[in-house]
């Protein structure tokens, strides 16, 4: 299927490795011009040339204003923004009483306000173009709390509501807003758990971790004209891990 992303410009947050990089790679394979964002400039430049991205923004999404500034820069550099993928590093772990209030504030900035700031810049530009695709990377935690990921459980559930709310406001402008919920994906964050193959088989019906590019395939489809009638949805890519329906 030709997704016809050749004229499209995409900005992918948190994209020097893991899920963000996997999404950037598939968008580039489908012909989009892609800008990357992460904190470490040298690594980012290396990835930019490895995967053929067109721009790299070293930026820290825990800092207020950074998501907004980067979207502004991207629109100046590319003249438009068709596809915005919001994603960042995962939050620190801790049960509710272990989480200091400072962490709540930091994670609010990084998981929530970075999305709000980016959308405040992106949506007016997308409205003018009468085309836009917003894809928020959240988590299974949005629908089924994961023990020890308290801030993620709270903020990701909220992002699902935000996605639905915004999607209704912008649908008539040719803009779709969806979330992708990763299951257990083969990235640094998950590799650090050092789970045995037996444990993975027990946890995931598909009996394996997902690969970042498998989220990329869905993201590329959602970003295409072919997905114009899919909006306000939250789709898990999890090998069957979520048991509810
Ligand atoms: N992997 C999974 O199975 C899984 C499952 C559910 C949800 N998720 C969520 O999906 C997101 C991505 O996960 P991942 O496994 O792909 O993580 P990852 O492999 O650690 O990659 C995170 C990416 O984001 C960048 N990043 C981290 N903190 C940042 C910041 N403050 N500002 C800007 N960029 C930042 C990292 O580069 P720098 O370090 O250079 O900034 C890197 O490019 C996380 O929020 C995670 O909670 C992941």
């Amino acid at each position: 299927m030709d997704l016809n992303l050749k004229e499209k410009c995409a900005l992918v947050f948190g994209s020097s490795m893991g899920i963000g990089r996997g999404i950037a790679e598939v968008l580039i394979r489908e012909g989009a011009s892609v800008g990357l964002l992460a904190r470490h400039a040298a690594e980012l430049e290396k990835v930019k040339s490895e995967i053929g991205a067109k721009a790299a923004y070293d930026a820290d999404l825990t800092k207020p204003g950074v998501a907004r500034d980067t979207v502004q820069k991207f629109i100046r550099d590319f003249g438009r923004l068709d596809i915005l993928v919001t994603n960042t590093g995962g939050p620190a772990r801790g049960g509710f009483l272990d989480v200091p209030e400072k962490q709540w504030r930091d994670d609010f900035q990084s998981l929530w306000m970075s999305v709000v700031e980016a959308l405040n810049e992106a949506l007016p530009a997308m409205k003018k173009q009468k085309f836009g695709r917003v894809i928020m990377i959240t988590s299974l935690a949005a629908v089924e709390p994961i023990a020890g990921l308290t801030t993620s459980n709270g903020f990701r559930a909220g992002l699902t509501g935000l996605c639905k709310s915004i999607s209704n406001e912008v649908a008539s402008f040719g803009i779709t807003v969806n979330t992708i919920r990763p299951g257990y994906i083969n990235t640094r964050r998950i590799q650090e758990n050092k789970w045995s193959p037996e444990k993975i088989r027990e946890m995931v019906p598909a009996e394996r971790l997902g690969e970042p590019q498998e989220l990329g395939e869905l993201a590329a489809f959602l970003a295409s004209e072919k997905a114009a009638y899919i909006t306000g949805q939250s789709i898990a890519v999890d090998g069957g891990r979520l048991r509810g329906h």
Side-chain angles (χ1 to χ4, degrees):
M1 186 177 2
D2 181 5
L3 295 177
N4 198 18
L5 298 184
K6 292 189 180 57
E7 305 296 316
K8 306 296 187 211
C9 297
L11 175 58
V12 184
F13 284 0
S15 47
S16 62
M17 66 179 91
I19 290 169
R21 174 177 171 152
I23 291 173
E25 282 178 358
V26 178
L27 291 175
I28 290 167
R29 185 197 74 200
E30 294 298 325
S33 298
V34 172
L36 307 175
L37 177 153
R39 290 168 300 181
H40 298 95
E43 179 63 16
L44 202 53
E45 282 302 323
K46 187 168 141 267
V47 175
K48 179 182 164 220
S49 68
E50 276 171 12
I51 70 175
K54 294 279 194 288
Y57 303 94
D58 56 310
D60 182 350
L61 294 170
T62 62
K63 305 262 187 298
V66 163
R68 179 177 46 245
D69 293 349
T70 309
V71 173
Q72 281 174 354
K73 263 187 226 151
F74 183 93
I75 293 173
R76 272 201 306 274
D77 292 347
F78 288 77
R80 56 188 294 122
L81 172 57
D82 301 292
I83 302 160
L84 173 68
V85 180
T86 61
N87 176 51
T88 189
R93 294 168 202 278
F96 179 75
L97 291 178
D98 305 320
V99 177
E101 289 186 5
K102 180 177 182 315
Q103 189 188 327
W104 278 106
R105 281 188 283 273
D106 290 349
D107 291 352
F108 178 63
Q109 180 61 44
S110 132
L111 296 178
W112 182 277
M113 283 309 296
S114 70
V115 177
V116 170
E117 288 176 14
L119 290 179
N120 274 335
E121 295 304 316
L123 290 176
M126 290 175 171
K127 274 179 159 184
K128 273 195 212 134
Q129 294 164 189
K130 296 251 183 253
F131 180 90
R133 297 286 185 266
V134 177
I135 298 166
M136 304 177 188
I137 303 306
T138 63
S139 170
L140 298 187
V143 66
E144 193 177 284
I146 298 174
L149 282 178
T150 309
T151 63
S152 180
N153 294 337
F155 292 131
R156 260 77 189 245
L159 285 173
T160 306
L162 187 70
C163 161
K164 194 76 189 169
S165 170
I166 299 171
S167 70
N168 291 341
E169 288 186 35
V170 298
S172 65
F173 294 90
I175 302 170
T176 69
V177 187
N178 294 290
T179 84
I180 297 180
R181 295 172 173 161
Y184 297 128
I185 308 302
N186 190 12
T187 69
R188 179 185 60 176
R189 188 167 166 80
I190 289 294
Q191 286 154 8
E192 279 166 5
N193 292 324
K194 297 198 179 352
W195 289 332
S196 67
E198 293 71 37
K199 184 170 168 69
I200 293 168
R201 275 199 290 277
E202 271 167 30
M203 291 191 303
V204 186
E207 299 190 348
R208 66 173 177 86
L209 298 177
E211 293 302 323
Q213 289 75 8
E214 294 182 285
L215 276 93
E217 301 294 346
L218 174 61
F221 176 68
L222 290 174
S224 73
E225 303 270 4
K226 300 198 186 294
Y229 209 54
I230 301 173
T231 193
Q233 302 306 303
S234 290
I235 304 172
V237 178
D238 71 346
R241 164 67 185 78
L242 278 177
R243 307 297 165 138
H245 55 79

